[in-house]
Amino acid sequence: MKLIRHGERGAERPGMVAPDGTLRCLADVIGDIDGAALAPAALDELRDIDPATLPRVPDNTRLGACVGRVGQLIGIGLNYSDHAEESGLPIPTEPIVFLKATTSIAGPHDALILPPTAQKTDWEVELAFVVGTRAQRVSEADAMKHVAGYCIVNDVSERAWQAERQGQWTKGKSHDGFAPMGPWLVTADEIADPHALHMTCDVNGDRRQDGSTATMIFGIPELVSYLSAFMTLEPGDVVTTGTPPGVGMGMRPQVWLRDGDVMRLEVAGLGQQETRVRVDAA
């Protein structure tokens, strides 16, 4: 299944993508695409619904982030061997973990509004997995049982705040709008191998990132097991798993997002998102 959230920001309603590509509303069936809706039994109930019986979402309706009420948005840094190489950094021996504020979550086509103090804002196309059942100190062998599905996240990063200010990466990753998510959540049963997905990011029509999840250093089972040893993962939590090479920081000379730029991200099987950059002059 492909699950969506549609409507104005803060008032999104749940829905699904029908086999014919139309968007259908689930508001009369469930409250939201959140942890409760992503439990295995709840997903099975949604699979039994004939999308043709659901109201059609009007054309041109805004799509919100495909997961609602996210408790934790967790990022993994330098998780692609070729991205670590372009960054001139050693391959990590264990996952680099940071948090993105949940207030950074945005819809897949919402404008990215940069604050006037942003100097070096960068793009990062990423595969994210969404937790479906509580994970606490789970083994790698059991890890995939806890994954409800997958979606695209653009891990937008203000590199000056991330690397040139004291403290951790979180503040460079967490401004409002720094996590466009979606367009939809694809349930795990529809993705045969999440470690073999082509992923791209174009900026103003120029291909910047062209990679594959095959170059991940730490795969999803290892990430679930590793994270759950340090923190409990709850249903609806989102973990974004790192980016392939081609980010602006790795270019020579370096290139940063500017007013009017358009980012177009795609991951095989997970759809596309397009985001236009605006600068807040206030």
Side-chain angles (χ1 to χ4, degrees), residues 8-20:
E8 295 303 311
R9 182 186 290 273
E12 293 91 348
R13 310 178 83 193
M16 65 168 50
V17 183
D20 64 0

Side-chain angles (χ1 to χ4, degrees), residues 42-230:
L43 289 177
D44 286 342
E45 290 181 5
L46 293 180
R47 290 188 184 95
D48 290 337
I49 296 173
D50 179 0
T53 65
L54 299 171
R56 185 164 175 168
V57 176
D59 293 342
N60 301 318
T61 298
R62 172 187 175 270
L63 289 181
C66 56
V67 185
R69 306 179 191 177
V70 176
Q72 298 184 99
L73 177 55
I74 302 167
I76 306 297
L78 293 177
N79 195 30
Y80 282 66
S81 55
D82 38 10
H83 174 51
E85 181 180 355
E86 77 166 346
S87 300
L89 297 169
I91 292 177
T93 57
E94 60 181 289
I96 296 172
V97 179
F98 60 90
L99 297 177
K100 289 177 75 82
T102 55
T103 49
S104 70
I105 295 172
H109 308 303
D110 291 346
L112 171 63
I113 301 176
L114 299 182
T117 53
Q119 303 171 41
K120 300 179 179 180
T121 310
D122 208 346
W123 56 84
E124 295 189 43
V125 59
E126 303 200 359
L127 168 70
F129 66 83
V130 184
V131 177
T133 60
R134 195 170 191 259
Q136 187 178 50
R137 296 188 298 275
V138 302
S139 67
E140 289 186 37
D142 291 333
M144 297 303 282
K145 299 175 184 177
H146 298 270
V147 176
Y150 305 95
C151 64
I152 301 172
V153 167
N154 186 353
D155 178 22
V156 178
S157 305
E158 172 47 48
R159 304 297 190 188
W161 299 350
Q162 176 188 356
E164 299 172 17
R165 303 282 294 272
Q166 292 185 356
Q168 302 301 312
W169 288 9
T170 295
K171 64 178 176 289
K173 302 279 191 172
S174 292
H175 195 271
D176 294 354
F178 274 25
M181 184 181 296
W184 43 67
L185 182 154
V186 180
T187 52
D189 58 298
E190 292 201 5
I191 302 298
D193 184 358
H195 305 100
L197 301 179
H198 185 222
M199 53 204 311
T200 61
C201 174
D202 296 346
V203 180
N204 300 329
D206 294 329
R207 181 62 43 91
R208 297 301 191 191
Q209 293 184 272
D210 190 345
S212 170
T213 57
T215 65
M216 268 200 236
I217 300 165
F218 306 105
I220 293 169
E222 188 169 359
L223 292 175
V224 173
S225 180
Y226 182 87
L227 290 170
S228 72
F230 297 101

